[in-house]
Amino acid sequence: MSKDLLSLDIASIHEGFRKKTFSAQEVTAAYLSKMEETRELNAYVLETPEVALEAAKKTDVRLSKGEDLRDMEGVPVGVKDLFCTKGTRTTAASHILKDFVPPYESTVTQKLWNSGAIMLGKTNMDEFAMGSANLTSAFGKTLSPWQIKDDDRRFVPGGSSGGSAAAVAAQSALVATASDTGGSIRQPAAFCGLVGVKPTYGRCSRYGMVAFASSLDQAGPLARSVRDAAIMLRVTSGHDPKDATSLTHSVPDFEKEMTGSVKGLRVGIPKEYQVGGLTSETSALWEEGASWLQSAGAEIVEVSLPSTQYALPTYYILAPAEASSNLARYDGVRYGHRVDGETLDELYERTRGEGFGDEVKRRILIGTYVLSAGYYDAYYLKAQKVRRVITREFQNVFTKVDVLLSPTTPTPSFAFGEEPTDPVTMYMNDVLTVPANIAGLPALSLPAGLTEEGLPLGLQLIAPAFQENILFQTAGVMEEAAEFQKKVKAMRSSS
Ligand code: GLN
């Protein structure tokens, strides 16, 4: 019974509640025991079973009174440890915040609780969301639940939302919150066989999210189906007076946008996304994805985004620049970890020296360098200009096509011990995801196929600003054509 509960989507859970087939407490208990069973993955940095059971009880009381089901009623959620949760420790997986208990709740999580969702715990991540493999967490690495037949190797879940992705893939959460500054929702989604959505910049409030690079950060869902992602995104979207960059555009019912048709839709294939390092399987899947859409009546158009090659270097100037400024607040005086010193400077130095991990220090160094008086024009200002050029190229392309299709990552997940050892090669993971952040555009990754060895591969859709509806419309059709779950079942039963 509890095994079956874990495979249900949000709609089926709600149907079960209505028919009284099971209670919210039963669903939550099933997820909590799965969480215990899969602890070796290190997907959670904090488990909150009491909070979960308490919330589930409330849902059951509502159900017994015959009250309406709210959108996320009784849905067990993993929360990336970057979202502040009132009274529950929030660390951003950094030693410097290891004892931080926020006195306030992030808007995204508050919206989830207001619509009946249940918090299972806080999920592991790269420290301050800087990383692509969940290897920089102060709580240690997270393992992907995916493995290759007759092979002992364990694989990275991707990053920075690696804990959230591992949890949803291992069924120790039905959905999870995540954040995407340069790919941190979509890349782990691709590595773990999930749907991940980075909405338009400003669609979701950033209030209460530990800041990495404020002009790029966006919250979004990780889910096992396009429909669940659509439901969760609707709930978490919308204007928030507490975040001046959250926009007032109305929030459509994304689920209704899944019309099942893409007839007449113009799908662009950006030729510059054929980057070096793209595996042949990824390339082949990209073509297959285009052919699914073509058979469903879409028009496939090759397009050009000539400045794509500059997106990654631009990102790795802008994101560290903003990070170095955002992270200046962790000085040992106001937050978290503190190491005393003889002088104030010494207190700062010791606190930050001990509190931050190597990758975070690297980003702060790069950031302060590109913002320093002598180099500001050459790096930061230049990167801002390139950002504008990249944004314009997208605007131009979207006069010709409605949506873009590309792979999410050049390669599938890699095994521990086989990860790139130099940071720059690691940064290459983001080459196909960062352009959407730079231009503030909505993008979605969906599981589209498996490698020969049986690891998931994702395809990415990018739409014009505030047109997440096109992402869901297109992804719904592709999800059906891809038959990802069927492929996984076939692979597992052949072993
Ligand atoms: N992997 C990218 C980085 O390390 C993106 C991280 C993110 O989106 N938070 O910066």
PDB file of all heavy atoms in Angstrom, residues 80 128-132 159-160 179-185 212 217 315-316 319 359 363 426-427 429-430 434 437, ligand 1:
ATOM      1  N   LYS A  80      14.312  22.940  -0.478  1.00  0.00           N
ATOM      2  CA  LYS A  80      15.744  23.223  -0.610  1.00  0.00           C
ATOM      3  C   LYS A  80      16.179  24.105   0.561  1.00  0.00           C
ATOM      4  O   LYS A  80      15.472  25.067   0.901  1.00  0.00           O
ATOM      5  CB  LYS A  80      16.001  23.928  -1.959  1.00  0.00           C
ATOM      6  CG  LYS A  80      17.476  24.167  -2.259  1.00  0.00           C
ATOM      7  CD  LYS A  80      17.674  24.774  -3.646  1.00  0.00           C
ATOM      8  CE  LYS A  80      19.151  24.933  -3.984  1.00  0.00           C
ATOM      9  NZ  LYS A  80      19.372  25.492  -5.333  1.00  0.00           N
ATOM     10  N   PHE A 128      25.545  27.646  -0.808  1.00  0.00           N
ATOM     11  CA  PHE A 128      25.027  28.891  -1.384  1.00  0.00           C
ATOM     12  C   PHE A 128      24.598  28.723  -2.846  1.00  0.00           C
ATOM     13  O   PHE A 128      24.649  29.669  -3.631  1.00  0.00           O
ATOM     14  CB  PHE A 128      26.019  30.040  -1.247  1.00  0.00           C
ATOM     15  CG  PHE A 128      26.056  30.612   0.150  1.00  0.00           C
ATOM     16  CD1 PHE A 128      27.123  30.352   0.996  1.00  0.00           C
ATOM     17  CD2 PHE A 128      25.009  31.376   0.637  1.00  0.00           C
ATOM     18  CE1 PHE A 128      27.145  30.850   2.298  1.00  0.00           C
ATOM     19  CE2 PHE A 128      25.023  31.879   1.935  1.00  0.00           C
ATOM     20  CZ  PHE A 128      26.091  31.621   2.770  1.00  0.00           C
ATOM     21  N   ALA A 129      24.247  27.496  -3.221  1.00  0.00           N
ATOM     22  CA  ALA A 129      23.764  27.187  -4.577  1.00  0.00           C
ATOM     23  C   ALA A 129      24.860  27.328  -5.640  1.00  0.00           C
ATOM     24  O   ALA A 129      24.567  27.523  -6.815  1.00  0.00           O
ATOM     25  CB  ALA A 129      22.537  28.026  -4.943  1.00  0.00           C
ATOM     26  N   MET A 130      26.117  27.221  -5.200  1.00  0.00           N
ATOM     27  CA  MET A 130      27.224  27.340  -6.151  1.00  0.00           C
ATOM     28  C   MET A 130      27.791  25.963  -6.449  1.00  0.00           C
ATOM     29  O   MET A 130      28.543  25.410  -5.644  1.00  0.00           O
ATOM     30  CB  MET A 130      28.312  28.239  -5.564  1.00  0.00           C
ATOM     31  CG  MET A 130      27.810  29.645  -5.324  1.00  0.00           C
ATOM     32  SD  MET A 130      28.998  30.604  -4.388  1.00  0.00           S
ATOM     33  CE  MET A 130      28.021  32.070  -4.035  1.00  0.00           C
ATOM     34  N   GLY A 131      27.412  25.431  -7.592  1.00  0.00           N
ATOM     35  CA  GLY A 131      27.926  24.126  -7.963  1.00  0.00           C
ATOM     36  C   GLY A 131      26.980  23.420  -8.903  1.00  0.00           C
ATOM     37  O   GLY A 131      25.844  23.866  -9.116  1.00  0.00           O
ATOM     38  N   SER A 132      27.459  22.327  -9.472  1.00  0.00           N
ATOM     39  CA  SER A 132      26.670  21.590 -10.461  1.00  0.00           C
ATOM     40  C   SER A 132      26.590  20.114 -10.124  1.00  0.00           C
ATOM     41  O   SER A 132      26.167  19.316 -10.952  1.00  0.00           O
ATOM     42  CB  SER A 132      27.303  21.741 -11.846  1.00  0.00           C
ATOM     43  OG  SER A 132      27.448  23.103 -12.165  1.00  0.00           O
ATOM     44  N   GLY A 159      23.474  19.713  -9.545  1.00  0.00           N
ATOM     45  CA  GLY A 159      23.421  20.756  -8.522  1.00  0.00           C
ATOM     46  C   GLY A 159      22.973  22.063  -9.142  1.00  0.00           C
ATOM     47  O   GLY A 159      22.826  22.152 -10.359  1.00  0.00           O
ATOM     48  N   SER A 160      22.682  23.025  -8.366  1.00  0.00           N
ATOM     49  CA  SER A 160      22.868  22.983  -6.937  1.00  0.00           C
ATOM     50  C   SER A 160      21.705  22.335  -6.181  1.00  0.00           C
ATOM     51  O   SER A 160      21.865  21.989  -5.018  1.00  0.00           O
ATOM     52  CB  SER A 160      23.068  24.407  -6.400  1.00  0.00           C
ATOM     53  OG  SER A 160      21.897  25.178  -6.579  1.00  0.00           O
ATOM     54  N   SER A 179      15.968  26.196  -6.707  1.00  0.00           N
ATOM     55  CA  SER A 179      16.248  27.534  -7.225  1.00  0.00           C
ATOM     56  C   SER A 179      17.256  27.412  -8.346  1.00  0.00           C
ATOM     57  O   SER A 179      18.037  26.465  -8.391  1.00  0.00           O
ATOM     58  CB  SER A 179      16.797  28.437  -6.121  1.00  0.00           C
ATOM     59  OG  SER A 179      18.073  27.982  -5.737  1.00  0.00           O
ATOM     60  N   ASP A 180      17.176  28.373  -9.265  1.00  0.00           N
ATOM     61  CA  ASP A 180      17.953  28.290 -10.500  1.00  0.00           C
ATOM     62  C   ASP A 180      18.553  29.652 -10.793  1.00  0.00           C
ATOM     63  O   ASP A 180      17.845  30.613 -11.076  1.00  0.00           O
ATOM     64  CB  ASP A 180      16.998  27.849 -11.624  1.00  0.00           C
ATOM     65  CG  ASP A 180      17.697  27.409 -12.897  1.00  0.00           C
ATOM     66  OD1 ASP A 180      18.567  28.163 -13.368  1.00  0.00           O
ATOM     67  OD2 ASP A 180      17.356  26.339 -13.438  1.00  0.00           O
ATOM     68  N   THR A 181      19.886  29.723 -10.690  1.00  0.00           N
ATOM     69  CA  THR A 181      20.609  30.960 -10.971  1.00  0.00           C
ATOM     70  C   THR A 181      21.295  30.837 -12.329  1.00  0.00           C
ATOM     71  O   THR A 181      21.425  31.795 -13.072  1.00  0.00           O
ATOM     72  CB  THR A 181      21.652  31.205  -9.855  1.00  0.00           C
ATOM     73  OG1 THR A 181      20.970  31.208  -8.602  1.00  0.00           O
ATOM     74  CG2 THR A 181      22.390  32.516 -10.039  1.00  0.00           C
ATOM     75  N   GLY A 182      21.733  29.595 -12.611  1.00  0.00           N
ATOM     76  CA  GLY A 182      22.384  29.338 -13.897  1.00  0.00           C
ATOM     77  C   GLY A 182      22.029  27.954 -14.425  1.00  0.00           C
ATOM     78  O   GLY A 182      22.619  27.487 -15.394  1.00  0.00           O
ATOM     79  N   GLY A 183      21.106  27.287 -13.753  1.00  0.00           N
ATOM     80  CA  GLY A 183      20.719  25.944 -14.212  1.00  0.00           C
ATOM     81  C   GLY A 183      20.380  24.984 -13.091  1.00  0.00           C
ATOM     82  O   GLY A 183      20.096  23.812 -13.323  1.00  0.00           O
ATOM     83  N   SER A 184      20.400  25.483 -11.871  1.00  0.00           N
ATOM     84  CA  SER A 184      20.299  24.601 -10.699  1.00  0.00           C
ATOM     85  C   SER A 184      18.973  23.893 -10.489  1.00  0.00           C
ATOM     86  O   SER A 184      18.877  23.047  -9.611  1.00  0.00           O
ATOM     87  CB  SER A 184      20.623  25.390  -9.437  1.00  0.00           C
ATOM     88  OG  SER A 184      22.014  25.509  -9.330  1.00  0.00           O
ATOM     89  N   ILE A 185      17.951  24.220 -11.265  1.00  0.00           N
ATOM     90  CA  ILE A 185      16.733  23.403 -11.242  1.00  0.00           C
ATOM     91  C   ILE A 185      16.796  22.426 -12.413  1.00  0.00           C
ATOM     92  O   ILE A 185      16.543  21.230 -12.264  1.00  0.00           O
ATOM     93  CB  ILE A 185      15.456  24.271 -11.370  1.00  0.00           C
ATOM     94  CG1 ILE A 185      15.333  25.223 -10.173  1.00  0.00           C
ATOM     95  CG2 ILE A 185      14.217  23.385 -11.490  1.00  0.00           C
ATOM     96  CD1 ILE A 185      14.157  26.196 -10.245  1.00  0.00           C
ATOM     97  N   PHE A 212      22.018  34.383  -3.919  1.00  0.00           N
ATOM     98  CA  PHE A 212      23.285  34.043  -4.575  1.00  0.00           C
ATOM     99  C   PHE A 212      23.578  35.198  -5.532  1.00  0.00           C
ATOM    100  O   PHE A 212      24.429  36.040  -5.246  1.00  0.00           O
ATOM    101  CB  PHE A 212      23.132  32.682  -5.245  1.00  0.00           C
ATOM    102  CG  PHE A 212      24.201  32.275  -6.240  1.00  0.00           C
ATOM    103  CD1 PHE A 212      25.361  33.016  -6.429  1.00  0.00           C
ATOM    104  CD2 PHE A 212      24.061  31.097  -6.980  1.00  0.00           C
ATOM    105  CE1 PHE A 212      26.338  32.618  -7.340  1.00  0.00           C
ATOM    106  CE2 PHE A 212      25.035  30.693  -7.889  1.00  0.00           C
ATOM    107  CZ  PHE A 212      26.153  31.458  -8.082  1.00  0.00           C
ATOM    108  N   ASP A 217      18.663  34.789  -9.806  1.00  0.00           N
ATOM    109  CA  ASP A 217      17.991  33.775  -8.984  1.00  0.00           C
ATOM    110  C   ASP A 217      16.487  33.704  -9.259  1.00  0.00           C
ATOM    111  O   ASP A 217      15.821  34.729  -9.289  1.00  0.00           O
ATOM    112  CB  ASP A 217      18.120  34.112  -7.478  1.00  0.00           C
ATOM    113  CG  ASP A 217      19.550  34.134  -6.954  1.00  0.00           C
ATOM    114  OD1 ASP A 217      20.445  33.622  -7.639  1.00  0.00           O
ATOM    115  OD2 ASP A 217      19.763  34.658  -5.836  1.00  0.00           O
ATOM    116  N   TYR A 315      28.056  34.809 -17.529  1.00  0.00           N
ATOM    117  CA  TYR A 315      27.469  34.342 -16.273  1.00  0.00           C
ATOM    118  C   TYR A 315      28.527  34.273 -15.182  1.00  0.00           C
ATOM    119  O   TYR A 315      28.289  34.685 -14.044  1.00  0.00           O
ATOM    120  CB  TYR A 315      26.834  32.961 -16.482  1.00  0.00           C
ATOM    121  CG  TYR A 315      26.385  32.299 -15.201  1.00  0.00           C
ATOM    122  CD1 TYR A 315      25.140  32.604 -14.639  1.00  0.00           C
ATOM    123  CD2 TYR A 315      27.200  31.391 -14.524  1.00  0.00           C
ATOM    124  CE1 TYR A 315      24.731  32.011 -13.455  1.00  0.00           C
ATOM    125  CE2 TYR A 315      26.801  30.796 -13.342  1.00  0.00           C
ATOM    126  CZ  TYR A 315      25.560  31.112 -12.814  1.00  0.00           C
ATOM    127  OH  TYR A 315      25.165  30.523 -11.644  1.00  0.00           O
ATOM    128  N   TYR A 316      29.696  33.744 -15.540  1.00  0.00           N
ATOM    129  CA  TYR A 316      30.727  33.564 -14.514  1.00  0.00           C
ATOM    130  C   TYR A 316      31.481  34.861 -14.187  1.00  0.00           C
ATOM    131  O   TYR A 316      32.446  34.847 -13.439  1.00  0.00           O
ATOM    132  CB  TYR A 316      31.653  32.386 -14.857  1.00  0.00           C
ATOM    133  CG  TYR A 316      30.994  31.095 -14.365  1.00  0.00           C
ATOM    134  CD1 TYR A 316      30.303  30.258 -15.231  1.00  0.00           C
ATOM    135  CD2 TYR A 316      31.004  30.775 -13.009  1.00  0.00           C
ATOM    136  CE1 TYR A 316      29.655  29.118 -14.754  1.00  0.00           C
ATOM    137  CE2 TYR A 316      30.362  29.649 -12.533  1.00  0.00           C
ATOM    138  CZ  TYR A 316      29.701  28.815 -13.410  1.00  0.00           C
ATOM    139  OH  TYR A 316      29.054  27.710 -12.917  1.00  0.00           O
ATOM    140  N   ALA A 319      27.499  36.456 -12.040  1.00  0.00           N
ATOM    141  CA  ALA A 319      27.034  35.731 -10.843  1.00  0.00           C
ATOM    142  C   ALA A 319      28.019  35.892  -9.681  1.00  0.00           C
ATOM    143  O   ALA A 319      27.600  36.227  -8.570  1.00  0.00           O
ATOM    144  CB  ALA A 319      26.769  34.259 -11.183  1.00  0.00           C
ATOM    145  N   GLU A 359      34.667  26.604  -2.923  1.00  0.00           N
ATOM    146  CA  GLU A 359      34.003  27.112  -4.128  1.00  0.00           C
ATOM    147  C   GLU A 359      33.419  28.505  -3.863  1.00  0.00           C
ATOM    148  O   GLU A 359      33.505  29.393  -4.707  1.00  0.00           O
ATOM    149  CB  GLU A 359      32.912  26.136  -4.594  1.00  0.00           C
ATOM    150  CG  GLU A 359      32.230  26.522  -5.915  1.00  0.00           C
ATOM    151  CD  GLU A 359      33.181  26.619  -7.106  1.00  0.00           C
ATOM    152  OE1 GLU A 359      34.191  25.882  -7.148  1.00  0.00           O
ATOM    153  OE2 GLU A 359      32.917  27.459  -8.003  1.00  0.00           O
ATOM    154  N   ARG A 363      34.345  32.063  -5.732  1.00  0.00           N
ATOM    155  CA  ARG A 363      33.381  32.988  -6.346  1.00  0.00           C
ATOM    156  C   ARG A 363      33.539  34.398  -5.761  1.00  0.00           C
ATOM    157  O   ARG A 363      33.433  35.389  -6.484  1.00  0.00           O
ATOM    158  CB  ARG A 363      31.944  32.515  -6.111  1.00  0.00           C
ATOM    159  CG  ARG A 363      31.643  31.099  -6.560  1.00  0.00           C
ATOM    160  CD  ARG A 363      31.470  30.962  -8.041  1.00  0.00           C
ATOM    161  NE  ARG A 363      31.254  29.559  -8.386  1.00  0.00           N
ATOM    162  CZ  ARG A 363      30.131  29.080  -8.909  1.00  0.00           C
ATOM    163  NH1 ARG A 363      29.130  29.877  -9.176  1.00  0.00           N
ATOM    164  NH2 ARG A 363      30.032  27.799  -9.201  1.00  0.00           N
ATOM    165  N   MET A 426      33.887  21.937 -14.770  1.00  0.00           N
ATOM    166  CA  MET A 426      32.622  21.766 -14.047  1.00  0.00           C
ATOM    167  C   MET A 426      31.605  22.818 -14.497  1.00  0.00           C
ATOM    168  O   MET A 426      30.433  22.522 -14.673  1.00  0.00           O
ATOM    169  CB  MET A 426      32.885  21.861 -12.538  1.00  0.00           C
ATOM    170  CG  MET A 426      31.685  21.553 -11.679  1.00  0.00           C
ATOM    171  SD  MET A 426      31.144  19.839 -11.810  1.00  0.00           S
ATOM    172  CE  MET A 426      31.728  19.162 -10.269  1.00  0.00           C
ATOM    173  N   TYR A 427      32.087  24.036 -14.728  1.00  0.00           N
ATOM    174  CA  TYR A 427      31.188  25.115 -15.138  1.00  0.00           C
ATOM    175  C   TYR A 427      30.536  24.810 -16.499  1.00  0.00           C
ATOM    176  O   TYR A 427      29.467  25.330 -16.804  1.00  0.00           O
ATOM    177  CB  TYR A 427      31.920  26.476 -15.220  1.00  0.00           C
ATOM    178  CG  TYR A 427      32.496  26.981 -13.909  1.00  0.00           C
ATOM    179  CD1 TYR A 427      33.420  28.030 -13.896  1.00  0.00           C
ATOM    180  CD2 TYR A 427      32.122  26.431 -12.688  1.00  0.00           C
ATOM    181  CE1 TYR A 427      33.955  28.507 -12.700  1.00  0.00           C
ATOM    182  CE2 TYR A 427      32.656  26.899 -11.492  1.00  0.00           C
ATOM    183  CZ  TYR A 427      33.584  27.934 -11.503  1.00  0.00           C
ATOM    184  OH  TYR A 427      34.120  28.407 -10.332  1.00  0.00           O
ATOM    185  N   ASN A 429      28.977  22.368 -17.427  1.00  0.00           N
ATOM    186  CA  ASN A 429      27.659  21.762 -17.224  1.00  0.00           C
ATOM    187  C   ASN A 429      26.523  22.731 -17.495  1.00  0.00           C
ATOM    188  O   ASN A 429      25.409  22.334 -17.801  1.00  0.00           O
ATOM    189  CB  ASN A 429      27.523  21.361 -15.743  1.00  0.00           C
ATOM    190  CG  ASN A 429      27.927  19.942 -15.514  1.00  0.00           C
ATOM    191  OD1 ASN A 429      27.237  19.030 -15.951  1.00  0.00           O
ATOM    192  ND2 ASN A 429      29.047  19.763 -14.850  1.00  0.00           N
ATOM    193  N   ASP A 430      26.818  24.013 -17.288  1.00  0.00           N
ATOM    194  CA  ASP A 430      25.760  25.032 -17.337  1.00  0.00           C
ATOM    195  C   ASP A 430      25.662  25.714 -18.692  1.00  0.00           C
ATOM    196  O   ASP A 430      24.876  26.634 -18.862  1.00  0.00           O
ATOM    197  CB  ASP A 430      26.037  26.130 -16.286  1.00  0.00           C
ATOM    198  CG  ASP A 430      26.326  25.557 -14.914  1.00  0.00           C
ATOM    199  OD1 ASP A 430      25.686  24.547 -14.582  1.00  0.00           O
ATOM    200  OD2 ASP A 430      27.187  26.101 -14.201  1.00  0.00           O
ATOM    201  N   VAL A 434      22.538  28.499 -18.747  1.00  0.00           N
ATOM    202  CA  VAL A 434      22.717  29.898 -18.312  1.00  0.00           C
ATOM    203  C   VAL A 434      22.101  30.947 -19.238  1.00  0.00           C
ATOM    204  O   VAL A 434      21.669  31.991 -18.746  1.00  0.00           O
ATOM    205  CB  VAL A 434      24.196  30.295 -18.044  1.00  0.00           C
ATOM    206  CG1 VAL A 434      24.728  29.596 -16.823  1.00  0.00           C
ATOM    207  CG2 VAL A 434      25.081  30.084 -19.223  1.00  0.00           C
ATOM    208  N   ASN A 437      18.853  32.261 -17.937  1.00  0.00           N
ATOM    209  CA  ASN A 437      18.966  33.103 -16.733  1.00  0.00           C
ATOM    210  C   ASN A 437      19.428  34.503 -17.104  1.00  0.00           C
ATOM    211  O   ASN A 437      18.929  35.498 -16.583  1.00  0.00           O
ATOM    212  CB  ASN A 437      19.951  32.500 -15.728  1.00  0.00           C
ATOM    213  CG  ASN A 437      19.537  31.121 -15.267  1.00  0.00           C
ATOM    214  OD1 ASN A 437      19.741  30.151 -15.983  1.00  0.00           O
ATOM    215  ND2 ASN A 437      18.937  31.029 -14.099  1.00  0.00           N
TER     216      ASN A 437
HETATM  217  N1  GLN B   1      26.007  25.522 -11.518  1.00  0.00           N
HETATM  218  C1  GLN B   1      25.874  26.944 -11.603  1.00  0.00           C
HETATM  219  C2  GLN B   1      26.818  27.616 -10.645  1.00  0.00           C
HETATM  220  O1  GLN B   1      27.566  26.942 -10.025  1.00  0.00           O
HETATM  221  C3  GLN B   1      24.459  27.356 -11.371  1.00  0.00           C
HETATM  222  C4  GLN B   1      24.070  27.342  -9.952  1.00  0.00           C
HETATM  223  C5  GLN B   1      22.653  27.758  -9.746  1.00  0.00           C
HETATM  224  O2  GLN B   1      21.847  27.817 -10.668  1.00  0.00           O
HETATM  225  N2  GLN B   1      22.363  28.090  -8.508  1.00  0.00           N
HETATM  226  O3  GLN B   1      26.835  28.776 -10.504  1.00  0.00           O
END
